[in-house]
Amino acid sequence: MGKIVFALNQSLDGFVDFTESMPDSVLFRHFIDDMRSLAGCIYGRRMYESMRYWDEDLLEWDSSQREYAAAWQSKPKWVVSRTLKSVGPNASLIEGDLAAAIHELKAQHEGEIEVAGPELAHTLTELGLVDEYRLYLHPVVLGHGKPFFAGPRPPLRLVASDRIGEHVIRLTYVPA
């Protein structure tokens, strides 16, 4: 059975903004390995549109970026959207009953299915479908933006903490 994991970079004051928390080479290697290990990814529309960058093959990419792109392209992706009519390669739209669709994905896939995007993760949290939360804390304070938790923080229990590279701490929580 699959496991739904919400993992995202976060500032010390609780906001997400990928432009403010660019990974160093150690963290990027971690993300490459993480992407390779996933059974798939669930995205909201905005996050999926941002991640579509990795569907490209840009000449200026270095070998690590090409490696991440290959890993991302190889994974099945499910996109939750009321406005998109189509999605790119190796992706499909989730329409209709979201809870039923996520239960079906968990039943059909072994391993971790990562959910990205605070609003979507909040909805899945309210439905009781997120099995694990991974906060990648970066040493920046943004003071504004989109919060990691789009609603009240669910009751959580810390199960692990890891330092990744020089600057990032990953905190792993499960529902309490």
Side-chain angles (χ1 to χ4, degrees), residues 3-6 106 124-134 149 153-159 172-176:
K3 175 177 163 180
I4 302 296
V5 176
F6 175 39
K106 287 177 76 167
L124 297 181
T125 295
E126 286 184 324
L127 294 169
L129 296 172
V130 178
D131 300 302
E132 190 171 287
Y133 299 82
R134 293 184 190 149
F149 289 103
R153 184 181 58 80
L156 301 174
R157 182 172 52 86
L158 180 67
V159 294
T172 305
Y173 293 90
V174 295

Side-chain angles (χ1 to χ4, degrees), residues 109-142:
H109 297 276
E110 289 294 322
E112 295 179 354
I113 301 169
E114 199 167 87
V115 59
E119 288 94 0
L120 177 57
H122 175 67
T123 300
L124 297 181
T125 295
E126 286 184 324
L127 294 169
L129 296 172
V130 178
D131 300 302
E132 190 171 287
Y133 299 82
R134 293 184 190 149
L135 290 73
Y136 290 85
L137 288 176
H138 290 256
V140 296
V141 175
L142 299 177

Side-chain angles (χ1 to χ4, degrees), residues 11 13-20 118-119 141-150:
S11 66
D13 56 345
F15 296 105
V16 299
D17 183 344
F18 72 92
T19 64
E20 295 292 335
E119 288 94 0
V141 175
L142 299 177
H144 60 82
K146 187 173 296 274
F148 183 90
F149 289 103

